[in-house]
Amino acid sequence: MPRPPIIRKDPGAFVVAPNLPDTDAARAAFSWDSARAGLQGLPGGGLNIAHEAVDRHANGPRANHVALRWLPASGAARDITYAQLSRESNRYANVLRGLGVVKGDAVYVLCGRIPALYAAVLGALKCGAVVSPMFSAFGPEPLKTRVNLGAGKVLVTTEALYARRVRKVEGEMPTLRHVLRVDDPGTRGMLEGAPERFAVERTGAEDPAFLHFTSGTTGMPKGAVHVHGAVAAHYATGRFALDLHPEDVFWCTADPGWITGTSYGIVAPLAHGVTSLVDEAEFDAERWYRNLQEQGVTVWYTAPTAIRLLMKSGAEVARRYRFPQLRFVASVGEPLNPEAVWWGKEALGLPIHDNWWQTETGGIMIANTPAMDVKPGSMGKPLPGIEARIVHRREGGLAFVEAPDTEGELALRAGWPSMFRAYLGQEERYRKCFAEGWYLSGDLVRRDAEGYFWFVGRADDVIKSAGHLIGPFEVESVLMEHPAVAEAGVIGKPDPVVGEVVKAFVSLKAGHQPGEDLRLQLLAHARKRLGAAVAPKEIAFADSLPRTRSGKIMRRLLKARELGLPEGDLSTLEGPA
Ligand code: ATP
Ligand code: MG
């Protein structure tokens, strides 16, 4: 049912003073040079992400602070301090160097969320390698494609993943010189025998550090190259958008196989010297609530897909847990339906703060920060250092949209430190993302009179019906207001009369059955809330919606299946590998 449009923040109610008390004032005063002043730099010059994330703390007063609290899928938690993580990553750096890894070489890491992943990624960065963390559920084919695209030289994996994912295609990855299985006795011996010290490669801000693949929501995943200098943005956004404070226990639920799990599951929290929770296990509602409660999580960064699953699991489960330590919750990856923001307030005691960014942007660009009033459904305002505008692409160049509440493409002034530097192997495509000094995101948004940005839809997903431009998000959010609906995915279906008609696919919460009555109810509810021009004309029930492995609804697949068209690249489709 309709809710109030705004959640006001009470400055007197903050237990910990927010790092960004006034976004507008901070934007005016901000410079990237001032943000870089929060970094240390390599002794003698240069910049390396692993030094900022680990070694500078290991060499200082936070040496014995817990860097990672690892929760194995079963068994007791294990704490790893900054000093230990520094030594462990040095061992990996020495082993990789021993295998011939030098600056610029590509190292792939396919490990699952275990401590070795973190040590290997950081160790490879220390070697000056370009690191590409792979999602552990990828099957052999997607793995092979990615390794070959980036000319991977070493693949770090486990015995189990080697057997399941690598062996079959090992001979088809010609650049690969070594496959290091971290738990085989030979490698274990090598790691134990390796020195605990390592002189970090003198990388600079413009040297490549990571190769991250996009989620494949709209098509074939792209490989985005990021540089060491990006750490300035991870640091600044960790401070502003995630509000990290030294004593925080932070939990980013994303896997490092997606950029969120690296930028905010490895780099940002470690750069701030906080304790970061790593859960090896997959999503489980009880387990996640228990983690939040028992680990005393203070700042939580998760995704709409997880929130929808928690909502689906029901309020009774949430009611068994308490979260007195939790002070800030943020979400990224897909638009966050207003219903989910409100669910946070009810189930966790805090609204969920949506923020927006992409693999290409490397870090959070637009956010609801702790001190800002939240307008549920809005992704917030640009962070300090980020200039965001709304544009229309025209023959002669860009036209900037000034009027509030007008849709257009989200553009960011190029030059923030974590901006991608290439789409690997696709120069032309990279070039086309920029015009007149602006990066064009491919997402449609509008900005209200108070400067809040609202997501409309991906340019590819927007529906044109009888002269209206309809964003699927708006329609999905309204369907989700209905108590029976767990998830909704909306597409445009070609129609000879109106261009496209709106069709919705809906999955239901436990205890609700699909049927003609419910279908009519949903159609009526949507029509009442959206008007006949925007409301779906057709609703189909589905047990679940096709999703990427990072949890995003794949509307292109709903559409392809509806129209009987080829399904396209399915390498990131969720399902058994
Ligand atoms: P591909 O580019 O391969 O199709 P992808 O765009 O899903 O996949 P990512 O870089 O992981 O790959 O996701 C970025 C996109 O996710 C954004 O461009 C946007 O469409 C969507 N997104 C992320 N956060 C938000 C948000 N807070 N609100 C709305 N959309 C979001
Ligand atoms: Mg994309």
Side-chain angles (χ1 to χ4, degrees):
M1 296 307 109
R3 311 258 207 175
I6 194 158
I7 301 174
R8 298 265 175 218
K9 294 290 179 65
D10 170 8
F14 290 116
V15 190
V16 177
N19 289 328
L20 196 59
D22 180 339
T23 307
D24 297 333
R27 285 178 54 77
F30 181 86
S31 76
W32 282 111
D33 281 336
S34 67
R36 286 184 194 101
L39 305 174
Q40 191 176 58
L42 286 171
L47 185 68
N48 186 287
I49 291 177
H51 176 84
E52 300 305 326
V54 182
D55 289 2
R56 69 158 160 162
H57 303 303
N59 299 332
R62 292 185 90 71
N64 296 320
H65 194 75
V66 175
L68 302 175
R69 167 159 302 160
W70 181 56
L71 308 175
S74 63
R78 196 170 113 202
D79 284 348
I80 299 162
T81 65
Y82 279 91
Q84 287 168 333
L85 188 57
S86 173
R87 289 198 293 268
E88 203 48 30
S89 52
N90 284 344
R91 288 201 178 94
Y92 271 92
N94 279 307
V95 166
L96 291 169
R97 184 54 51 87
L99 295 177
V101 172
V102 295
K103 189 171 166 181
D105 283 346
V107 172
Y108 283 67
V109 183
L110 173 81
C111 279
R113 290 179 299 276
I114 58 173
L117 177 146
Y118 297 80
V121 166
L122 293 161
L125 289 172
K126 287 180 175 185
C127 272
V130 184
V131 187
S132 193
M134 293 282 100
F135 189 44
S136 60
F138 274 154
E141 288 301 319
L143 175 70
K144 180 182 89 180
T145 314
R146 285 162 179 73
V147 170
N148 287 343
L149 182 68
K153 187 170 186 179
V154 176
L155 171 64
V156 182
T157 187
T158 62
E159 293 262 50
L161 287 169
Y162 175 77
R164 293 213 307 273
R165 315 260 190 257
V166 185
R167 186 183 291 139
K168 205 176 125 202
V169 289
E170 197 178 356
E172 299 164 38
M173 297 182 281
T175 55
L176 210 55
R177 300 259 196 83
H178 301 278
V179 176
L180 202 65
R181 283 167 269 168
V182 297
D183 46 358
D184 83 35
T187 308
R188 282 225 307 272
M190 244 183 346
L191 284 164
E192 276 157 26
E196 286 182 352
R197 302 182 71 81
F198 183 82
V200 174
E201 178 76 35
R202 193 171 301 290
T203 43
E206 282 305 309
D207 283 324
F210 284 111
L211 169 62
H212 284 297
F213 289 86
T214 61
S215 294
T217 313
T218 56
M220 181 69 94
K222 296 147 277 188
V225 177
H226 287 279
V227 295
H228 281 276
V231 66
H234 300 139
Y235 187 78
T237 52
R239 185 172 155 72
F240 294 143
L242 300 175
D243 199 42
L244 294 176
H245 285 69
E247 297 314 310
D248 275 327
V249 176
F250 172 70
W251 185 22
C252 168
T253 60
D255 187 274
W258 310 109
I259 195 169
T260 306
T262 300
S263 291
Y264 296 100
I266 305 180
V267 183
L270 296 181
H272 279 272
V274 307
T275 297
S276 201
L277 200 64
V278 175
D279 189 351
E280 184 186 14
E282 292 311 316
F283 176 87
D284 173 83
E286 289 267 356
R287 183 176 171 107
W288 280 32
Y289 286 128
R290 205 173 339 111
N291 285 353
L292 289 172
Q293 174 176 296
E294 288 178 4
Q295 302 302 329
V297 173
T298 55
V299 178
W300 192 35
Y301 195 23
T302 189
T305 182
I307 295 162
R308 289 193 299 259
L309 285 172
L310 289 174
M311 291 166 79
K312 201 171 177 177
S313 74
E316 310 74 58
V317 190
R319 260 185 243 119
R320 291 205 284 274
Y321 298 88
R322 293 280 173 280
F323 319 101
Q325 323 265 32
L326 196 62
R327 68 160 216 283
F328 187 66
V329 182
S331 157
V332 73
E334 283 185 294
L336 186 67
N337 312 89
E339 211 45 40
V341 177
W342 287 103
W343 171 86
K345 205 152 164 34
E346 281 144 25
L348 307 171
L350 300 162
I352 297 170
H353 295 71
D354 187 21
N355 59 51
W356 178 94
W357 59 289
Q358 309 174 305
T359 306
E360 291 84 344
T361 71
I364 304 169
M365 300 282 108
I366 297 181
N368 287 285
T369 56
M372 269 168 63
D373 293 336
V374 173
K375 298 188 185 182
S378 158
M379 56 205 208
K381 293 183 179 185
L383 287 174
I386 303 305
E387 205 183 325
R389 297 286 293 275
I390 297 173
V391 304
H392 291 154
R393 300 191 197 201
R394 294 267 186 268
E395 276 295 315
L398 298 179
F400 290 86
V401 173
E402 306 296 343
D405 303 318
T406 309
E407 279 152 21
E409 184 171 1
L410 173 60
L412 305 167
R413 166 94 69 195
W416 69 95
S418 63
M419 188 178 84
F420 71 138
R421 299 301 199 269
Y423 276 139
L424 205 65
Q426 300 188 76
E427 256 172 68
E428 176 65 9
R429 186 168 200 171
Y430 180 74
R431 230 176 25 78
K432 282 200 176 137
C433 293
F434 296 88
E436 300 168 37
W438 293 83
Y439 164 68
L440 305 170
S441 70
D443 282 349
L444 296 186
V445 301
R446 56 195 160 76
R447 184 182 47 202
D448 68 19
E450 287 171 299
Y452 284 73
F453 282 70
W454 299 76
F455 184 77
V456 174
R458 294 163 181 269
D460 295 2
D461 289 340
V462 170
I463 302 161
K464 291 171 202 87
S465 185
H468 295 274
L469 204 63
I470 301 169
F473 174 50
E474 186 186 10
V475 181
E476 291 160 7
S477 289
V478 161
L479 288 169
M480 281 191 63
E481 291 170 0
H482 192 280
V485 175
E487 265 190 321
V490 165
I491 61 163
K493 198 175 149 185
D495 178 271
V497 180
V498 292
E500 286 182 302
V501 292
V502 178
K503 170 152 189 176
F505 296 84
V506 161
S507 81
L508 300 178
K509 287 186 186 151
H512 295 271
Q513 298 307 321
E516 195 52 18
D517 271 5
L518 182 56
R519 212 175 57 82
L520 294 174
Q521 252 185 51
L522 291 174
L523 286 169
H525 164 76
R527 205 167 310 130
K528 187 163 137 234
R529 295 273 292 114
L530 294 164
V534 176
K537 299 279 182 295
E538 292 179 31
I539 292 183
F541 294 105
D543 288 342
S544 65
L545 302 179
R547 251 187 294 258
T548 64
R549 292 190 183 277
S550 54
K552 302 177 193 223
I553 297 172
M554 282 171 110
R555 293 178 193 81
R556 69 165 159 108
L557 198 53
L558 286 171
K559 191 161 177 169
R561 287 176 180 171
E562 175 72 23
L563 304 180
L565 295 172
E567 297 193 337
D569 179 80
L570 298 182
S571 65
T572 62
L573 178 66
E574 191 181 57

